[in-house]
């Protein structure tokens, strides 16, 4: 928390002017597009209310003016503000529920779920609350175009009020009304406008909502084991995960790398091939091409290796490691001139190739054993 120096504050005159009003609050209501969030909630079986609550509180915290409060003769800025929202109970009554804002969505979700569960045990209305809050309510039965909130002492109550209403389908878009009420001595229309703009940006993105599934957490653990040299444990974990999710290309790729590192090249091949067929992408696809191509070559499947490396280089033309392994394959196919030409071009390149550096141990090993196959 910090104190705002009102003497040097650029909006000092506005602050003094509106502070003297008997009713200094103003309210803005506008529709926001929640199509993507609505779809996300249904697809993942999550509560739209909790998801939207997170987005609203996260966005409000990013607007400093919504964290300003008047305390006696001072204006203070909270470092963070927290949601105090309504929870419906039996007999059509509601309860107030206050939660601590957590920046990470999984932590926020756990906190809100726990607090809501507790709030449904006993009604608490009228308790003294700190001013480091945002008062939030949902009116899911009405697509309102305006709303007003009760205040006990408008001149001194500087906690913003935020409310949203019922969904409305507009074409292929899902819209809801969202209201923001704030004290005009601290907040102007431009600040509320920034809140709406930032919230819509968040609603169109949602990247911070991603929560790891059990499969993803298992894959992370398998990668950790593999990187620590616990290859057999990593392989067994990946095989267990694949029994539950056999169409996951990443699981197949990492399983193949474990087999390969254990010297079980033949068992690695079907996992490499499946990973590619299932749509592996990006860096992992590139590494899988290298792994499968070099495994084909190590097993004496030179024509398969050559065809795969040609396909891979077409997709990743700047990856030198692919060209090195392709040159080895061409050597095995008796195409010595092509192999030598490729290696000389790489040697003459003015820029070092990081991918070749990453595979230098494997390249050095195969360079000493170019005619060997491993089965």
């Amino acid at each position: 928390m910090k104190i705002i120096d009102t003497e040097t504050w650029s909006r000092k005159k506005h602050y003094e002017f509106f502070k003297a009003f008997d009713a200094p609050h103003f309210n803005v209501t506008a529709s926001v597009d929640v199509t993507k969030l609505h779809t996300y909630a249904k697809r993942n079986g999550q509560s739209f209310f909790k998801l939207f609550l997170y987005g609203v509180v996260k966005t409000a915290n990013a607007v400093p003016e919504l964290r300003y409060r008047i305390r006696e003769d001072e204006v203070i800025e909270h470092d963070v503000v927290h949601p105090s929202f309504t929870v419906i109970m039996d007999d059509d009554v509601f309860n107030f529920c206050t939660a601590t804002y957590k920046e990470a969505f999984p932590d926020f979700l756990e906190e809100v779920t726990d607090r809501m569960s507790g709030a449904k045990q006993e009604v608490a209305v009228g308790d003294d609350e700190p001013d480091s809050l945002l008062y939030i309510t949902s009116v899911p039965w009405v697509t309102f175009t305006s709303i007003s909130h009760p205040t006990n002492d408008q001149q001194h109550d500087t906690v913003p009020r935020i409310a949203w209403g019922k969904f409305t389908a507009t074409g292929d878009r899902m819209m809801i009304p969202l209201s923001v009420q704030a004290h005009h001595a601290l907040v102007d229309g431009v600040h509320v406008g920034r809140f709406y703009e930032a919230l819509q940006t968040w609603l169109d993105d949602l990247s911070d909502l991603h929560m790891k599934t059990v499969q993803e957490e298992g894959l992370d653990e398998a990668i950790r084991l593999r990187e620590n040299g616990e290859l057999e444990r990593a392989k067994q974990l990946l095989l267990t995960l694949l029994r539950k999710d056999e169409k996951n290309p990443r699981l197949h790729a990492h399983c193949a790398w474990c087999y390969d590192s254990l010297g079980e090249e033949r068992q690695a091949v079907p996992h490499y091939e499946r990973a590619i067929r299932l749509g592996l992408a990006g860096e992992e696809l590139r590494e899988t091409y290298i792994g499968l191509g070099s495994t084909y070559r190590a097993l004496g499947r030179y024509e398969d290796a050559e065809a795969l490396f040609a396909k891979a280089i077409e997709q990743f033309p700047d990856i030198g490691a692919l060209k090195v392994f392709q040159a080895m394959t061409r050597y095995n196919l008796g195409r010595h001139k092509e192999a030598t030409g490729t290696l000389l071009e790489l040697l003459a390149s003015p820029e070092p190739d990081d991918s070749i550096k990453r595979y230098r141990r494997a390249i050095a090993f195969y360079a000493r054993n170019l005619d060997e196959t491993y089965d």
Side-chain angles (χ1 to χ4, degrees):
M1 184 187 77
K2 71 177 182 180
I3 298 174
I4 303 297
D5 184 355
T6 54
E7 292 302 313
T8 60
W9 195 13
S10 61
R11 61 187 315 277
K12 175 187 176 182
K13 291 183 178 180
H14 300 78
Y15 165 68
E16 292 175 342
F17 177 70
F18 288 112
K19 183 183 176 184
F21 277 36
D22 292 331
H25 285 237
F26 73 101
N27 191 307
V28 174
T29 301
S31 293
V32 292
D33 187 338
V34 296
T35 307
K36 189 172 182 179
L37 186 66
H38 184 261
T39 301
Y40 180 95
K42 292 184 66 176
R43 182 181 298 149
N44 293 279
Q46 293 190 25
S47 161
F48 177 87
F49 174 82
K50 294 174 184 176
L51 293 169
F52 194 58
L53 178 68
Y54 172 73
V56 165
V57 179
K58 179 184 177 75
T59 304
N61 269 288
V63 180
E65 290 75 13
L66 296 179
R67 292 185 274 110
Y68 288 179
R69 303 290 184 268
I70 297 175
R71 284 189 181 174
E72 297 180 352
D73 295 325
E74 291 183 329
V75 176
I76 61 103
E77 179 185 349
H78 287 291
D79 297 325
V80 62
V81 289
H82 310 278
S84 179
F85 50 95
T86 53
V87 177
I88 195 70
M89 301 182 70
D90 295 333
D91 301 321
D92 292 338
V93 299
F94 69 87
N95 196 10
F96 293 115
C97 180
T98 299
T100 301
Y101 171 64
K102 308 284 186 179
E103 187 170 359
F105 174 66
D107 297 336
F108 180 86
L109 182 60
E110 182 179 7
E111 163 73 5
V112 168
T113 301
D114 288 346
R115 294 301 181 102
M116 288 179 71
S117 178
K120 291 184 177 181
Q121 303 304 313
E122 182 180 357
V123 176
V125 177
D127 293 349
D128 290 337
E129 292 183 317
D131 62 6
S132 57
L133 299 175
L134 297 166
Y135 293 150
I136 295 173
T137 190
S138 172
V139 189
W141 312 279
V142 182
T143 307
F144 58 76
T145 55
S146 67
I147 190 170
S148 62
H149 300 266
T151 51
N152 186 37
D153 182 358
Q154 284 210 39
Q155 279 190 316
H156 301 98
D157 184 345
T158 52
V159 176
R161 272 81 166 161
I162 300 175
W164 58 87
K166 183 180 179 180
F167 296 107
T168 299
T170 304
D172 62 347
R173 313 311 295 171
M174 192 68 73
M175 312 295 289
I176 62 170
L178 177 69
S179 160
V180 179
Q181 179 174 308
H183 196 296
H184 213 344
L186 303 177
V187 182
D188 288 335
V190 64
H191 307 128
V192 173
R194 287 171 186 161
F195 168 81
Y196 277 98
E197 289 176 356
L199 179 62
Q200 190 62 64
T201 297
W202 180 84
L203 287 165
D204 293 338
D205 179 38
L206 304 184
S207 58
D208 57 352
L209 287 185
H210 179 69
M211 297 177 66
K212 287 188 176 181
T213 64
V214 173
Q215 293 294 85
E216 289 171 323
E217 291 176 350
L219 177 56
D220 287 347
E221 174 63 11
I223 292 172
R224 185 191 68 79
L225 290 170
R226 186 166 67 87
E227 290 176 345
N228 288 341
E230 300 180 66
L231 297 172
E232 186 62 36
R233 287 185 63 195
K235 182 185 78 175
Q236 293 304 324
L237 175 55
L238 287 162
L239 289 172
T240 299
L241 294 170
L242 277 167
R243 282 194 285 273
K244 300 175 183 177
D245 188 9
E246 63 177 12
K247 294 185 178 181
N248 187 318
R250 298 190 68 214
L251 292 177
H252 282 288
H254 285 275
C255 191
W257 290 327
C258 285
Y259 273 121
D260 226 346
S261 299
L262 287 165
E264 300 171 347
E265 288 88 353
R266 194 169 293 280
Q267 293 93 322
V269 168
H271 290 288
Y272 277 134
E273 293 174 337
R274 193 89 189 276
I276 294 170
R277 285 200 306 272
L278 288 170
L280 196 67
E283 182 179 335
E284 288 181 329
L285 174 60
R286 183 188 71 202
E287 300 302 303
T288 296
Y289 276 139
I290 293 173
L292 178 57
S294 63
T295 299
Y296 278 157
R297 198 195 72 81
L299 294 172
R301 295 174 57 176
Y302 303 130
E303 289 81 4
D304 290 335
E306 165 64 10
L308 185 75
F309 284 130
K311 177 182 177 181
I313 290 169
E314 185 177 344
Q315 293 184 50
F316 301 100
D318 299 323
I319 304 302
L322 284 166
K323 297 175 182 177
V324 171
F325 284 104
Q326 183 190 52
M328 293 184 196
T329 303
R330 286 176 173 175
Y331 164 84
N332 294 121
L333 288 168
R335 293 159 60 180
H336 301 146
K337 182 177 179 180
E338 290 176 85
T340 303
T342 296
L343 294 174
L344 289 173
E345 286 180 5
L346 290 170
L347 186 63
S349 174
E351 298 294 333
D353 191 302
D354 289 337
S355 69
I356 295 176
K357 289 181 181 179
R358 287 200 308 276
Y359 284 93
R360 65 178 183 273
R361 291 180 61 185
I363 292 169
F365 173 81
Y366 288 128
R368 296 189 296 269
N369 304 278
L370 280 172
D371 296 310
E372 298 291 329
T373 57
Y374 305 87
D375 192 354

